[in-house]
Amino acid sequence: TPGWVDAHTHLVFGGWRQHEIPLKLKGASYLEILQAGGGILDTVRQTRALREDELFARAQGFLDEQLRFGVTTTEIKSGYGLDLENERKQLRVIRHLNSEHAMDVVSTCMPAHAVPPEFAGRTDAYVDVVCNEILPRIAEEHLACYCDVFCETGVFSVEQSRRVLETARALGLGLKIHADEIDAIGGARLAGELCAISAEHLIATDDSGISPLASGGVTACLLPQTSLYLNKDFARAREMIARGVAVAVASDFNPGSCPSLNLQLSANLAYLRYRMTPEEILTALTLNAACAIGLGDRIGSIEPGKQADLTLWNADGMELLCYRMGSNQVQAVVKRGKVVIK
Ligand code: NIG
Ligand code: FE
């Protein structure tokens, strides 16, 4: 197949969050843990505490693991810095990974991933900082291609998300949006209205959100491992496809809602829970994923003129690959015409 593309990760971070599992098993929800200063904010503390070289070394190991799972291009978001210096630090790590590692890396800034502790209870004041200080500097330093925002109950409202994304657009950044991951507060409609390149998660999106995605030409970037890990519903992929929305499937690798880098597991879940066909899944992990990060003209299919990124599998077709959950079926990986895993 073409090398697989992981169009959605939060791969540069400090620490892990295994201590959240017992809390969740006792009934604490993802948003409750975040409201109590844990969750994303826990990872913000652990990421701020690491130097750039330490974050780089850790992330390099994650990219090695992705390659072994057959991924040849990945997107990475910031969003564990949540202040100018720490967001820039994360984004410089992402840039450095792209230049040093065999993996191609696309960079997304996400300073509106959570409200940092310094601004607790003052979300609008933090949005001012994001729009007036953080995004302009990131754009000036060409540290990101895209801007993403966590549009969610208790995090950033539709209006706050719109402000962040309109500012990003005026600065020349492409737009992505974490929409309807937990509650359908209007994120998918906003994505459609702004013609974002992609909308992420869409777990709670209903018909009223699917139409705007279709009319706005937004790629739905679906993350089935997160549904599994948060014990949530699975996005309505079949309805999206039926309505003409291009669907990509990615991992969402992060220390809270998806501590897995195995994109093959996303394929298995897309088969079983989204009820996508093996052919649709292959497209979702290659060409549609490439389009979700703006690289559809360079990668995502095997054709003359495109980069020779290939994954060779120990499986005689996508049907077997989607069915054999849990094992790594990669035989070899070719990146830009060179064998990097065998
Ligand atoms: O896509 N929802 C926001 N961001 C991530 C989770 C990040 C975290 O929990 O650290 C997500 O699920
Ligand atoms: Fe995410």
Side-chain angles (χ1 to χ4, degrees):
T1 70
W4 283 15
V5 177
D6 195 340
H8 181 138
T9 82
H10 306 251
L11 184 147
V12 175
F13 58 84
W16 292 103
R17 307 224 297 272
Q18 65 275 36
H19 59 273
E20 283 180 5
I21 300 295
L23 300 176
K24 285 182 179 167
L25 294 178
K26 279 196 208 118
S29 76
Y30 182 82
L31 290 179
E32 280 163 0
I33 293 172
L34 177 61
Q35 298 310 335
I40 293 173
L41 296 178
D42 193 340
T43 302
V44 168
R45 277 187 290 278
Q46 301 194 67
T47 305
R48 286 179 174 179
L50 291 190
R51 292 189 315 264
E52 205 164 317
D53 60 316
E54 294 170 323
L55 282 171
F56 177 81
R58 220 171 115 91
Q60 215 174 16
F62 294 148
L63 294 189
D64 292 343
E65 191 178 339
Q66 277 182 307
L67 267 187
R68 291 195 295 271
F69 280 128
V71 172
T72 52
T73 299
T74 192
E75 183 256 17
I76 307 179
K77 302 172 200 299
S78 69
Y80 293 124
L82 307 187
D83 63 26
L84 180 61
E85 286 321 309
N86 284 293
E87 285 292 305
R88 287 174 66 231
K89 176 176 76 176
Q90 255 195 298
L91 291 165
R92 284 195 303 265
V93 170
I94 297 170
R95 179 162 70 187
H96 193 190
L97 291 167
N98 185 43
S99 61
E100 292 296 304
H101 201 277
M103 185 79 66
D104 282 314
V105 181
V106 170
S107 174
T108 299
C109 65
M110 198 172 180
H113 190 202
V115 179
E118 311 82 81
F119 285 87
R122 296 188 295 134
T123 305
D124 279 318
Y126 180 59
V127 172
D128 287 342
V129 172
V130 168
C131 294
N132 301 333
E133 293 170 32
I134 303 181
L135 291 178
R137 183 72 177 272
I138 287 168
E140 185 189 313
E141 295 179 345
H142 301 289
L143 279 170
C145 296
Y146 296 99
C147 177
D148 198 340
V149 57
F150 190 15
C151 180
E152 188 58 66
T153 306
V155 193
F156 297 98
S157 68
V158 170
E159 281 321 307
Q160 288 160 340
S161 302
R162 184 197 307 276
R163 216 184 127 203
V164 169
L165 293 176
E166 282 179 345
T167 304
R169 167 169 287 162
L171 291 164
L173 296 165
L175 309 186
K176 293 176 170 283
I177 172 165
H178 275 60
D180 307 347
E181 176 175 357
I182 295 159
D183 296 324
I185 62 168
R189 280 198 298 281
L190 179 64
E193 194 186 303
L194 296 176
C195 299
I197 189 164
S198 66
E200 328 290 304
H201 290 285
L202 305 170
I203 291 174
T205 304
D206 59 13
D207 283 350
S208 67
I210 296 177
S211 306
L213 295 176
S215 59
V218 182
T219 294
C221 186
L222 305 185
L223 309 161
Q225 295 192 62
T226 303
S227 286
L228 179 78
Y229 217 79
L230 295 182
N231 206 7
K232 296 277 174 196
D233 290 338
F234 284 77
R236 297 162 67 179
R238 286 257 56 92
E239 280 101 316
M240 292 176 193
I241 293 169
R243 302 273 280 279
V245 176
V247 169
V249 170
S251 71
D252 196 22
F253 177 64
N254 74 75
S257 64
C258 180
S260 153
L261 277 167
N262 184 353
L263 198 53
Q264 291 165 61
L265 187 50
S266 293
N268 307 136
L269 291 169
Y271 195 29
L272 293 169
R273 306 303 299 267
Y274 293 156
R275 308 172 79 91
M276 290 170 68
T277 67
E279 292 75 17
E280 287 167 344
I281 293 167
L282 179 60
T283 305
L285 293 164
T286 55
L287 193 53
N288 285 0
C291 290
I293 53 173
L295 295 180
D297 56 348
R298 182 144 67 85
I299 57 167
S301 57
I302 303 172
E303 50 186 313
K306 279 198 171 178
Q307 209 163 284
D309 292 356
L310 307 170
T311 306
L312 283 76
W313 302 93
N314 282 316
D316 66 3
M318 278 305 288
E319 195 174 46
L320 184 64
L321 214 156
C322 291
Y323 144 88
R324 285 212 53 224
M325 190 167 98
S327 63
N328 183 3
Q329 298 172 81
V330 167
Q331 189 171 73
V333 176
V334 174
K335 183 67 193 167
R336 295 175 187 252
K338 277 178 43 189
V339 177
V340 287
I341 300 285
K342 64 176 177 204

